[in-house]
Amino acid sequence: MKISQLIYAAILVATTLSCSSPETMDFVVTDNVVNPSYIGNGVEWDPYDEAESWGATISDEDWAKLISRLDYMHPQYVRCMINSPFRYYDAKTGRYDKNANTELIFKLLQYCTDKDITVIYGEYNPPIWDMKDSPEWVDMAVDYLNMLVMEKGFSCIKYFVVFNEPDGDWASTNGDFNLWLSMVKKFHAKMEQYPGLCDRVKLAGPDVVADYHNKNSEFNTAGWLVETVKKADPIIGLYDIHAYPGQAEVLSGNYSKLLSEYKSLIPEGKQIVLGEAGYKYWREADSLLMKEYNRRVESHPFTKGSDCNMLVYDYFYGIDMAVLATEVMNNGFSGVAAWMLDDAMHSQGDSGKPEDIKIWGMWNTLGEEVFNDPSQENIRPWFYSWSLMCRYFPHGCDIVKIDHKIDSDIFACAAKYDGRYSIAIINKGENYKNISVKLPLSDETLSVYRYEDNNLKLDDNGFLIAEKAGILDESFSTRLSPMSMILVTQIK
């Protein structure tokens, strides 16, 4: 057994293994909508701002591989953030040039436009921190946004983020809500000066971090949401927060309470998404995982672990992320973007140096060119489970209720889209589960996908394929292995 499996098993609730066959659990998908008009699941995909500083670029071959993988994943929304000094702003001269360094961001946004992917676009911080309240930044950033949307026609951009995680002590705002509010209003006023721009693009916010309170800030996460609703709701098109929970917290089922609390603060008729999401292991309940994390960071050739998840290489991370997605869907949120697609996007502090990169991705496109390790370019297992959560819970679907017996080891979610249904069932426990799935339209063609360690059914391109497809019986029955996931779908 791999060390990651040993660690994972150690933190699960102790159960008694039985040689007898367990009773069958029935999962009946209903038409009862619990979360309408879901935006979808996706990824953070930033336009490789630092690649050339690292001594490489995204070659045509690299790009073709990326597109092949994204075509398979079919993300429903993408969060795309830029660092302006790598794009339109020359920090040495203070010069604005909207035509500088456009190749990769144009290719990224063209792909999202062609594939009808919703994009939440924004800027991590002002070009220099002294410009955090500068009208000059507002002028440049909005002109650049207008260029992308109105001049170049990248209609995929639906939302604009001002400041990344403005509640953080790592942000230029350092938790100053009033500064953030003032700048959001200035950005909106400037956007209104460009004909048609506000019709195409709405503001997203406040983009703060769940379950976090900066000592320099008057408000915690809930406070930021409440104040944003009170003072900026007319100009906020989409509410968003970021989430980096612990594994034990999510797998216990308790994280749903926090998500429901945040959702309850949003006005009726508005939606809220997790703009970024992943797992961090600093909490005491995750101490074994943190110990393994630290072991991997020691003497690592291209990261100090300053902002990483060293466990994204492991199969179990795909189970954890799928569980988080089910909690998002079942508790009123309208989407979640996994942080992040590709290790080749960021270094710590976006320094432009490759000595301490952010290892969070599904691969590293520049593994060979920059880091002398071609194996880093390989697909990591969690790509497969996350792709299922993207592909088969499409933009515009309704999340529907499932009738099933409560089991603390089981997480499940289901969706209806264009008269067809999907259901994902995850067994995070140590025991096998016999399950039976019944969908409302039992005579439809079904496809069955399984995410199971050492039992992934892949095609010649390395992509997960259905283990069963066709007209199945009125109800589909199978055995669900420990730490595995199954997806049954009628959605093409």
Side-chain angles (χ1 to χ4, degrees):
M1 180 178 285
K2 298 177 183 176
I3 186 170
S4 59
Q5 293 172 307
L6 289 168
I7 295 167
Y8 191 89
I11 58 87
L12 293 174
V13 177
T15 56
T16 302
L17 293 174
S18 172
C19 294
S20 62
S21 179
E23 66 178 89
T24 297
M25 295 182 63
D26 295 322
F27 294 81
V28 180
V29 178
T30 75
D31 275 321
N32 183 7
V33 176
V34 296
N35 188 1
S37 301
Y38 195 68
I39 291 173
N41 302 319
V43 290
E44 178 94 16
W45 185 25
D46 298 337
Y48 304 94
D49 284 346
E50 299 181 66
E52 292 188 7
S53 300
W54 295 355
T57 188
I58 306 299
S59 67
D60 290 344
E61 182 180 358
D62 289 332
W63 190 259
K65 184 188 294 184
L66 269 171
I67 295 307
S68 174
R69 292 173 176 182
L70 284 161
D71 282 348
Y72 177 80
M73 183 195 298
H74 200 4
Q76 303 300 300
Y77 96 84
V78 160
R79 184 174 186 264
C80 174
M81 301 287 285
I82 67 165
N83 282 292
S84 53
F86 293 100
R87 293 293 155 200
Y88 63 69
Y89 183 80
D90 188 327
K92 293 180 180 179
T93 65
R95 180 171 174 262
Y96 168 64
D97 181 1
K98 67 182 180 182
N99 297 311
N101 307 317
T102 58
E103 180 183 1
L104 284 175
I105 191 168
F106 281 7
K107 290 174 75 171
L108 187 160
L109 293 174
Q110 189 62 60
Y111 176 82
C112 291
T113 298
D114 292 344
K115 299 295 183 178
D116 199 24
I117 297 170
T118 296
V119 171
I120 300 176
Y121 162 82
E123 302 201 19
Y124 280 107
N125 269 300
I128 56 175
W129 281 28
D130 288 345
M131 296 175 71
K132 63 186 178 183
D133 58 355
S134 168
E136 184 183 359
W137 176 37
V138 177
D139 291 345
M140 290 186 294
V142 175
D143 187 69
Y144 193 73
L145 173 65
N146 184 73
M147 181 269 290
L148 294 174
V149 176
M150 304 304 292
E151 296 177 18
K152 298 301 180 183
F154 297 128
S155 58
C156 58
I157 299 177
K158 306 297 185 185
Y159 303 101
F160 179 63
V161 172
V162 182
F163 294 109
N164 175 69
E165 299 177 347
D167 58 330
D169 59 12
W170 53 87
S172 59
T173 49
N174 193 18
D176 188 336
F177 175 83
N178 290 326
L179 170 61
W180 173 83
L181 179 64
S182 171
M183 291 301 285
V184 164
K185 290 180 176 180
K186 289 176 181 178
F187 268 88
H188 185 261
K190 177 58 66 173
M191 289 169 64
E192 286 187 313
Q193 296 178 15
Y194 286 84
L197 184 57
C198 282
D199 295 330
R200 300 280 188 89
V201 182
K202 309 297 181 185
L203 291 175
D207 207 61
V208 296
V209 181
D211 196 24
Y212 168 77
H213 192 174
N214 180 353
K215 66 181 181 180
N216 299 304
S217 181
E218 184 179 357
F219 305 113
N220 62 8
T221 312
W224 272 78
L225 286 170
V226 168
E227 292 301 305
T228 302
V229 170
K230 287 197 303 188
K231 297 177 180 178
D233 183 65
I235 63 173
I236 297 295
L238 180 71
Y239 288 88
D240 87 289
I241 61 175
H242 298 180
Y244 290 93
Q247 185 197 63
E249 180 182 18
V250 176
L251 297 190
S252 70
N254 290 330
Y255 201 64
S256 61
K257 300 174 185 176
L258 190 63
L259 292 173
S260 295
E261 176 193 346
Y262 293 146
K263 169 61 178 174
S264 72
L265 303 175
I266 303 307
E268 187 175 351
K270 290 289 183 76
Q271 292 179 298
I272 183 170
V273 299
L274 292 185
E276 291 179 15
Y279 283 79
K280 292 189 175 182
Y281 307 113
W282 53 266
R283 298 164 180 85
E284 179 61 29
D286 298 318
S287 59
L288 287 174
L289 294 171
M290 194 67 201
K291 183 176 180 180
E292 175 62 12
Y293 174 100
N294 290 329
R295 185 192 70 79
R296 296 184 186 188
V297 166
E298 292 178 8
S299 304
H300 196 284
F302 48 85
T303 188
K304 298 177 177 64
S306 303
D307 183 4
C308 286
N309 187 332
M310 302 303 295
L311 307 182
V312 293
Y313 296 92
D314 294 62
Y315 163 84
F316 77 79
Y317 195 72
I319 294 293
D320 291 355
M321 287 299 291
V323 168
L324 182 58
T326 68
E327 294 291 72
V328 165
M329 288 188 270
N330 289 334
N331 288 283
F333 275 63
S334 294
V336 50
W339 177 272
M340 56 186 184
L341 181 70
D342 193 336
D343 294 352
M345 298 193 307
H346 294 287
S347 67
Q348 172 64 8
D350 296 302
S351 65
K353 300 177 182 179
E355 288 86 357
D356 188 11
I357 68 165
K358 297 189 177 189
I359 295 177
W360 279 94
M362 300 176 182
W363 52 75
N364 184 335
T365 295
L366 298 177
E368 180 175 12
E369 296 91 329
V370 175
F371 304 101
N372 301 311
D373 186 354
S375 71
Q376 298 298 321
E377 300 187 16
N378 296 338
I379 291 173
R380 296 167 191 163
W382 73 285
F383 166 78
Y384 300 117
S385 63
W386 197 251
S387 292
L388 296 177
M389 304 308 285
C390 292
R391 288 166 63 95
Y392 298 112
F393 294 88
H395 176 81
C397 71
D398 292 329
I399 307 305
V400 295
K401 184 177 182 295
I402 309 167
D403 289 332
H404 68 95
K405 181 180 177 181
I406 300 301
D407 184 318
S408 61
D409 285 338
I410 295 294
F411 290 82
C413 56
K416 178 181 180 180
Y417 179 75
D418 195 24
R420 294 180 171 85
Y421 298 81
S422 288
I423 179 173
I425 304 171
I426 303 155
N427 177 13
K428 60 89 173 176
E430 295 179 315
N431 291 327
Y432 286 90
K433 307 286 183 179
N434 289 333
I435 64 170
S436 174
V437 176
K438 185 174 182 179
L439 305 180
L441 300 178
S442 59
D443 59 344
E444 286 283 332
T445 300
L446 295 178
S447 295
V448 180
Y449 295 85
R450 194 180 299 269
Y451 179 74
E452 182 178 317
D453 199 13
N454 298 314
N455 191 30
L456 297 175
K457 189 175 182 181
L458 307 179
D459 65 15
D460 292 340
N461 296 313
F463 297 144
L464 191 66
I465 57 177
E467 68 171 35
K468 294 179 182 293
I471 304 296
L472 303 181
D473 294 335
E474 182 178 359
S475 61
F476 171 73
S477 299
T478 190
R479 199 178 197 205
L480 193 56
S481 299
M483 287 177 56
S484 71
M485 166 184 167
I486 194 166
L487 184 132
V488 181
T489 185
Q490 300 163 339
I491 296 172
K492 311 304 181 188

